[in-house]
Amino acid sequence: MVSVMTKPSSLDACENTKPLMPIRFNQPYMVGPEAEHVQASLASGKLCGDGAFTHRCQEYFEQSFGFNKALLATSCTDALEMAAILMNIQPGDEVIMPSYTFVSTANAFLLRGAKIVFADTERDVPNIDIATLESLITPKTKGIVVVHYAGMACDMAALMPIVKKHNLMLIEDAAHSIDAYYLGEDGSRTPLGRFGQLSTFSFHETKNIICGEGGLLAINDPAFQARAEVIREKGTNRAAFFRGEVDKYNWRDIGSSFLPADYVAAFLWGQLENLRLIQDKRLNVWNTYYKALKPLEDAGKVALQKIPAYSEHNAHLFYMVCDSLEQRTALMSFLKDRGIQTTFHYVPLHESPCYLSQPEHMRAEARELPNTKRFAECLVRLPLHGHLSEADMARVTDAVIEFYNA
Ligand SMILES: *Cc1c(COP(=O)(O)O)cnc(C)c1O
């Protein structure tokens, strides 16, 4: 770039007054073939669900991540609702999950009449604090739902023995966690979503791999497979009928309409074909931010995202933890003035109007969840998507550094 000194002064003035392009927190990143696949799907004359692109995506998930069965769903929310039905949740059953999560994690189980018992997060990582779980388990506990926040694995070596000892169901809300891994002490590398009997993923436009609205139910325990297919098809065995396994289909079970149209799967296929490219772009942003901001952390000014040693994350989010709510508010407004959009994250569910309005037998005893509170008040996420240029990233990190050095 030409240095400012050599430019005519009129041009300088012009450049100085040109508003900087805003840097959006999220901007859906499409690679190219998505529209082409949607066109092909439309041209096929079959628009409803469970078509060729749906099968192609499902096979991809089964082969790449080793799920016993993958079923595309209309959203991660719907996949969680399918999981709650498959678990046979009855009124009075208790389900333990973090308070620091999206509403759908809890809503799906509340809809089936479960009493939701919220756990705190760890101090340094916004994942469920496994050390507190045993104190929350009662004879009525049916299962545990974990969320691998930002695609960072929960401590599975600590969790799995508890799940086994108490004979609980484990559901992974892996909405953030496509192509993220748990690293075992024995050198193993297990995709997140492979631990629970059931796991759920999201392809909402704010996630890594997208199709607008979409999700996946991953089934690791084959015992759930046949029933999951029925639940997804309005409670009917239509899928078996189309495979020619039965000569008519009928109402078998409760269920709903959880199938995405095949052209939605066609869009998703365009993303899956390019999964490596998308993930590498995100990881590059994450690593660039981390490297540029590490000196701030070393100087004790702000805490950067801490990746547990057993976690290979997927750059779903880049976040920092400020010292206080006041500092976060000031930082976000400082960045906003410079055209940089940032966001905080979850509002604790244990203090939400919906939870507090449940009848008493549907609520756990009120407890302070201090780590949840801290992440709710102090965590801030920086823009992270495939459209960010090196210059954009530098603008973001320079502004953060300027704020903390001011
Ligand atoms: C995004 C998200 C969901 C919901 O995903 P949808 O596909 O939008 O329904 C559920 N849980 C978590 C943790 C999420 O981040």
Side-chain angles (χ1 to χ4, degrees):
M1 198 157 154
V2 187
S3 91
V4 173
M5 292 292 285
T6 61
K7 280 183 192 166
S9 56
S10 60
L11 227 176
D12 276 359
C14 174
E15 292 223 329
N16 287 340
T17 53
K18 197 172 83 182
L20 281 169
M21 280 289 287
I23 298 180
R24 284 163 58 182
F25 172 71
N26 181 54
Q27 208 177 327
Y29 182 66
M30 284 163 267
V31 188
E34 293 90 343
E36 197 180 302
H37 293 331
V38 171
Q39 283 296 341
S41 172
L42 300 182
S44 79
K46 191 176 182 316
L47 305 185
C48 68
D50 217 10
F53 280 105
T54 301
H55 293 162
R56 210 181 276 186
C57 291
Q58 291 178 172
E59 276 160 29
Y60 175 93
F61 290 119
E62 289 159 13
Q63 280 161 19
S64 300
F65 304 114
F67 307 128
N68 194 66
K69 181 72 194 165
L71 291 177
L72 278 197
T74 23
S75 64
C76 181
T77 301
D78 281 343
L80 285 160
E81 287 179 27
M82 290 175 73
I85 296 173
L86 286 165
M87 270 173 84
N88 266 328
I89 294 286
Q90 304 296 319
D93 288 345
E94 297 179 8
V95 178
I96 302 171
M97 64 182 67
S99 171
Y100 195 71
T101 181
F102 190 58
V103 294
S104 298
T105 319
N107 207 36
F109 298 90
L110 190 62
L111 276 171
R112 314 281 345 134
K115 169 175 166 180
I116 312 292
V117 178
F118 288 114
D120 205 359
T121 68
E122 291 180 21
R123 202 183 66 91
D124 291 331
V125 182
N127 282 338
I128 194 163
D129 185 0
I130 288 157
T132 65
L133 286 184
E134 288 208 280
S135 70
L136 303 175
I137 294 172
T138 75
K140 290 183 171 170
T141 306
K142 190 98 181 227
I144 299 179
V145 188
V146 297
V147 178
H148 306 288
Y149 185 80
M152 301 187 295
C154 292
D155 185 352
M156 303 315 288
L159 177 63
M160 295 316 284
I162 297 174
V163 168
K164 287 210 174 73
K165 177 176 158 198
H166 297 274
N167 197 22
L168 301 176
M169 284 274 299
L170 174 66
I171 310 290
E172 294 172 81
D173 179 345
H176 299 183
S177 305
I178 193 77
D179 185 44
Y181 299 84
Y182 174 77
L183 306 173
E185 271 177 14
D186 56 358
S188 58
R189 179 173 176 269
T190 310
L192 300 186
R194 275 293 298 285
F195 293 91
Q197 282 98 334
L198 303 165
S199 303
T200 64
F201 291 86
S202 174
F203 310 118
H204 184 265
E205 73 163 44
T206 52
K207 304 303 201 287
N208 287 27
I209 299 295
I210 61 173
C211 63
E213 302 276 357
L216 179 77
L217 178 70
I219 303 169
N220 294 312
D221 180 345
F224 292 103
Q225 198 168 311
R227 191 169 177 228
E229 239 181 29
V230 168
I231 289 165
R232 187 174 67 154
E233 274 277 22
K234 301 93 185 165
T236 74
N237 56 344
R238 187 155 79 171
F241 172 71
F242 280 122
R243 284 195 301 266
E245 294 164 13
V246 290
D247 58 12
K248 62 177 185 302
Y249 74 86
N250 61 5
W251 188 13
R252 315 290 290 198
D253 201 336
I254 59 167
S256 193
S257 185
F258 293 127
L259 265 176
D262 208 50
Y263 54 81
V264 173
F267 186 111
L268 184 64
W269 178 245
Q271 293 259 306
L272 291 176
E273 281 180 313
N274 292 286
L275 178 131
R276 198 63 266 144
L277 181 142
I278 295 169
Q279 303 289 66
D280 286 348
K281 265 189 176 284
R282 296 186 75 99
L283 285 161
N284 176 52
V285 177
W286 199 98
N287 291 321
T288 304
Y289 283 168
Y290 192 84
K291 194 162 163 239
L293 298 175
K294 190 77 178 75
L296 276 186
E297 180 171 67
D298 293 342
K301 295 193 169 167
V302 69
L304 301 184
Q305 182 171 349
K306 281 188 184 40
I307 309 290
Y310 46 76
S311 167
E312 181 183 323
H313 74 102
N314 61 355
H316 174 54
L317 307 173
F318 184 97
Y319 69 82
M320 309 188 301
V321 185
C322 300
D323 281 350
S324 64
L325 175 60
E326 294 69 34
Q327 188 189 73
R328 183 181 75 179
T329 306
L331 171 65
M332 288 179 70
S333 119
F334 184 90
L335 295 174
K336 187 173 173 226
D337 289 345
R338 283 151 187 79
I340 299 164
Q341 191 185 25
T342 59
T343 63
F344 47 84
H345 214 173
Y346 301 125
V347 181
L349 296 182
H350 71 290
E351 292 171 343
S352 63
C354 177
Y355 190 66
L356 296 179
S357 71
Q358 294 306 308
E360 213 163 309
H361 69 274
M362 299 275 287
R363 266 184 288 138
E365 181 187 325
R367 280 177 303 120
E368 294 286 313
L369 303 179
N371 300 328
T372 299
K373 182 174 154 75
R374 175 165 161 266
F375 286 120
E377 292 184 349
C378 301
L379 181 148
V380 58
R381 297 177 289 162
L382 300 184
L384 206 174
H385 53 79
H387 295 281
L388 293 173
S389 65
E390 295 294 328
D392 292 334
M393 294 177 229
R395 235 178 90 196
V396 172
T397 54
D398 286 352
V400 173
I401 292 165
E402 191 189 336
F403 174 84
Y404 278 105
N405 287 335

